[in-house]
Amino acid sequence: MAAQSSTRDAAEQGRDIQMEVDRIDAHHKNETRESKKPMQAGVREYPSEFPAQHQKKSGNEAELQLAPMYDAPDYEGSHKLQDKVALITGGDSGIGRAVAVLFAREGADVAICFLESRDDALTTKAAVEKEGRQCILIEGDVSKSAFCEASVRTTVDKLGKLDILVNNAAFQEHTSDIVDLTDEHFDRTLKTNLYGYFFMARAAIPHMKPGSSIIMTGSVTGIEGSKELLDYSMTKGGIHAFTRSLSSQLIERGIRVNAIAPGPVWTPLNPADRPAEDVVKFGSTSAMGRAAQPEEIAPAFVFMAAPCCSSYITGEILPVIGGYSA
């Protein structure tokens, strides 16, 4: 009898615990429904919604409603990249522009490659020069080997050397069904995102000395995949593998190779990919409940570029994705 009583007590205790947890869960669910807000952990508040808008490719930052925040006014430089020279592909807008500005604030001169948005490129140039550093503009298509070689030569001829390569230019366009992903679409994504990274690295490496750095822009899609970005995710996973492989090859030369893998970031890439109505809540499914702004991603590139910060880091993929959902 004592054993039966003990069994009943244990079962009853389990049900009591269950009822209490159910009550707490219901309370938290209502609380979350009413009060959950996107996380703000920076020095200024960042937007969690965007005006509905759609752009023709390749996208233009100057025409974006709600301009991306790239100038990081509270970031103070400390000579981490003093008198170094950086070449940044896709440096006219988005992450590339923010990286160019912070590199300049850390003392670097910058060359930026861009496809066609000259107004955006000129804005980036002015922002770099405002930091007291030189900026040269190089227009062309990174999927062409000859252009990548010419870009490196121009950088070295005009700025004297090359210490940092940031492979950042990308093509992204969604498709909901693999049968709708055309040969032309697939080819453009791979040529820009993979050929471009390879061609630029191959051209740059002979000019780089020990202590130099190559940084690739990867993506959370290269880690987690994305059902509507099959080709883009494939290239970003390839970029991560290229990063690790090339880093091993270049250790003897003293050149570090790393990748930053951002989550959703507010740049012209997004409204040039998505329908206007989908842009409004862009980034809301991240753990922080919002997209990043370019200035929130750029310090990671400074970290990987600066020998004083990351001299023992190579072959790493650093996710900057706004947290993980349990």
Side-chain angles (χ1 to χ4, degrees):
M1 292 291 291
Q4 289 179 341
S5 175
S6 174
T7 300
R8 283 196 301 271
D9 288 348
E12 192 61 38
Q13 184 182 47
R15 285 187 285 274
D16 289 345
I17 292 169
Q18 179 188 37
M19 286 175 62
E20 177 63 11
V21 171
D22 287 348
R23 183 190 67 78
I24 293 169
D25 282 350
H27 175 73
H28 284 331
K29 203 169 286 181
N30 290 332
E31 210 175 43
T32 300
R33 210 174 281 131
E34 292 170 11
S35 62
K36 186 177 179 183
K37 295 180 180 177
M39 181 179 176
Q40 300 289 346
V43 293
R44 54 180 177 171
E45 189 161 324
Y46 296 106
S48 57
E49 291 189 0
F50 305 96
Q53 57 196 295
H54 183 66
Q55 288 193 3
K56 289 184 178 179
K57 291 203 176 301
S58 55
N60 192 316
E61 188 155 319
E63 295 176 3
L64 273 185
Q65 298 172 52
L66 200 58
M69 300 158 80
Y70 67 87
D71 56 337
D74 290 281
Y75 181 101
E76 294 187 18
S78 56
H79 312 291
K80 293 182 184 70
L81 303 175
Q82 193 64 39
D83 297 327
K84 293 189 179 297
V85 171
L87 172 59
I88 304 171
T89 69
D92 55 317
S93 62
I95 293 172
R97 175 186 289 177
V99 170
V101 171
L102 290 198
F103 277 12
R105 199 169 296 170
E106 292 291 356
D109 293 325
V110 181
I112 62 171
C113 295
F114 66 101
L115 183 60
E116 61 176 355
S117 301
R118 178 159 286 274
D119 288 347
D120 281 351
L122 288 169
T123 298
T124 303
K125 185 175 191 292
V128 168
E129 290 173 347
K130 186 179 177 182
E131 302 294 336
R133 304 304 304 190
Q134 296 181 75
C135 182
I136 62 171
L137 307 181
I138 308 170
E139 184 174 359
D141 179 4
V142 296
S143 74
K144 306 298 184 186
S145 175
F147 170 73
C148 294
E149 291 171 3
S151 297
V152 169
R153 282 198 306 271
T154 298
T155 300
V156 173
D157 289 347
K158 292 191 174 181
L159 298 179
K161 57 179 180 172
L162 179 58
D163 303 295
I164 305 161
L165 170 65
V166 177
N167 268 328
N168 171 71
F171 180 86
Q172 174 188 313
E173 180 67 27
H174 72 282
T175 49
S176 299
D177 192 322
I178 190 171
V179 301
D180 298 324
L181 184 55
T182 65
D183 292 357
E184 181 184 30
H185 180 167
F186 185 76
D187 192 57
R188 172 45 53 192
T189 307
L190 267 67
K191 286 285 180 66
T192 303
N193 301 2
L194 287 179
Y195 284 44
Y197 279 40
F198 174 80
F199 289 152
M200 196 63 76
R202 187 177 64 182
I205 287 164
H207 299 272
M208 303 180 94
K209 296 178 180 178
S212 296
S213 175
I214 298 173
I215 310 168
M216 318 281 193
T217 301
S219 171
V220 65
T221 66
I223 300 169
E224 299 179 356
S226 171
K227 66 179 182 180
E228 293 192 338
L229 294 171
L230 297 178
D231 52 329
Y232 182 82
S233 301
M234 183 189 299
T235 63
K236 291 300 181 175
I239 288 164
H240 297 169
F242 181 43
T243 296
R244 290 218 156 114
S245 301
L246 186 60
S247 72
S248 297
Q249 190 177 106
L250 297 184
I251 279 182
E252 291 183 2
R253 300 195 193 197
I255 301 171
R256 296 179 300 106
V257 186
N258 293 289
I260 309 299
V265 187
W266 180 238
T267 76
L269 200 66
N270 308 298
D273 172 22
R274 294 287 174 177
E277 61 273 15
D278 291 352
V279 170
V280 176
K281 291 288 188 179
F282 173 68
S284 62
T285 58
S286 72
M288 284 195 179
R290 64 175 180 84
Q293 290 292 320
E295 68 181 33
E296 295 182 277
I297 307 297
F301 285 79
V302 173
F303 172 76
M304 287 301 191
C308 65
C309 297
S310 55
S311 60
Y312 199 64
I313 300 175
T314 193
E316 295 295 341
I317 289 83
L318 174 62
V320 186
I321 63 173
Y324 290 88
S325 299

